[in-house]
């Protein structure tokens, strides 16, 4: 799962400040039913360093605030990437992850982009989350950037554009596919299949081969 799908939503008049500030929003959930879960580490660690290297200010946030749980599988053989290892040995990164800002407490006036990381934990607390919904809709309505990876797009299903239509309606979008969910045998555990949900909402869902990267804008 180190390679995952990515779904940024850019309003037509998006403009970023000279030194953008990005909030990486992570799950706070540790269980999906009987399945232990949490953040898929690479999906926070890799963008964290990409944003930092580009000169962005990065805020680590989560639905509940405080320590962010990490899915042990994302540190298993074949999945514990160089970005993940660097993150786990980085005092600043781990400090931010241990004291993450609650989504409801983010000062959205200072945020240029919201990026939602993945992990099956998002299937629990990114769904029907009023604070996250409000943050995404506010950032989008302010012509800033909303992006999500892997299971992170779960949160987009609840969101609306200023005109009341579904956020994904009419736009290219992606996320963890039906076949990928079936492959990890969690089709019956998730609240919905992202691929099906986005198609139902009028999104122009795209996907690559399983376990490969796919970007839509």
């Amino acid at each position: 799962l180190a390679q995952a799908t990515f779904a940024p939503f850019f309003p037509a008049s998006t403009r970023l400040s000279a030194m953008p500030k990005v909030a990486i929003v992570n799950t706070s959930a540790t269980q999906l039913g009987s399945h232990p879960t949490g953040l898929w580490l690479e999906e926070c660690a890799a963008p964290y360093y990409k944003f930092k290297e580009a000169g962005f200010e990065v805020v680590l946030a989560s639905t509940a605030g405080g320590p962010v749980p990490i899915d042990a599988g994302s540190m298993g053989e074949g999945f514990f990437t160089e970005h993940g290892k660097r993150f786990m040995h980085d005092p600043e990164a781990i400090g931010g992850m241990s004291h993450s800002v609650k989504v409801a407490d983010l000062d959205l006036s200072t945020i240029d982009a919201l990026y939602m990381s993945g992990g099956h934990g998002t299937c629990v607390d990114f769904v029907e989350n009023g604070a996250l919904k409000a943050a995404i809709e506010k950032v989008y309505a302010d012509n800033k950037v909303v992006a999500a990876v892997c299971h992170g797009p779960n949160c987009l299903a609840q969101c609306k554009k200023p005109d009341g239509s579904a956020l994904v309606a009419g736009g290219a979008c992606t996320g963890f596919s039906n076949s990928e969910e079936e492959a990890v045998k969690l089709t019956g555990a998730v609240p919905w299949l992202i691929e099906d949900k986005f198609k139902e909402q009028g999104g122009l869902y795209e996907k690559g081969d399983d376990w490969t990267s796919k970007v839509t804008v």
Side-chain angles (χ1 to χ4, degrees):
L1 303 184
Q3 297 188 72
T5 45
F6 183 64
F9 280 80
F10 296 90
S13 57
T14 295
R15 294 290 184 273
L16 293 180
S17 61
M19 296 183 67
K21 184 175 182 179
V22 182
I24 299 179
V25 181
N26 304 288
T27 181
S28 296
T30 60
Q31 293 283 141
L32 174 62
S34 61
H35 179 72
T37 188
L39 161 71
W40 196 262
L41 180 60
E42 169 71 3
E43 293 164 6
C44 174
Y48 176 85
Y49 289 114
K50 290 297 184 182
F51 293 148
K52 286 277 192 178
E53 290 162 7
F56 297 177
E57 181 179 354
V58 180
V59 176
L60 292 171
S62 64
T63 56
V68 174
I70 298 173
D71 189 319
S74 67
M75 294 188 289
E77 185 176 357
F79 298 114
F80 199 19
T81 65
E82 290 305 312
H83 284 126
K85 293 172 184 176
R86 179 182 174 188
F87 192 94
M88 294 301 290
H89 290 90
D90 183 335
E92 182 180 356
I94 286 298
M97 184 72 83
S98 300
H99 303 280
S100 67
V101 179
K102 189 175 182 178
V103 167
D105 295 336
L106 286 172
D107 181 357
L108 297 176
S109 69
T110 70
I111 299 296
D112 294 289
L114 282 179
Y115 165 85
M116 275 61 67
S117 62
H120 274 94
T122 65
C123 300
V124 178
D125 60 357
F126 276 22
V127 175
E128 297 181 0
N129 185 310
L132 184 53
K133 177 180 186 290
I136 292 168
E137 291 178 346
K138 171 64 174 171
V139 169
Y140 183 87
D142 286 346
N143 296 314
K144 298 176 181 179
V145 176
V146 174
V149 67
C150 199
H151 282 92
N154 271 309
C155 62
L156 304 180
Q158 65 183 334
C159 298
K160 305 290 186 184
K161 297 176 185 176
D163 66 6
S165 62
L167 183 63
V168 301
C173 54
T174 190
F176 208 68
S177 68
N178 291 359
S179 55
E180 288 173 321
E181 204 69 78
E182 183 63 30
V184 298
K185 303 186 185 307
L186 287 172
T187 298
V190 297
W192 56 66
L193 295 170
I194 293 172
E195 179 177 342
D196 289 349
K197 175 64 76 171
F198 283 178
K199 289 177 179 177
E200 290 170 7
Q201 293 185 329
L204 307 178
Y205 181 88
E206 301 176 17
K207 62 180 178 181
D209 294 335
D210 288 358
W211 320 125
T212 62
S213 297
K214 175 66 180 180
V215 178
T216 63
V217 179

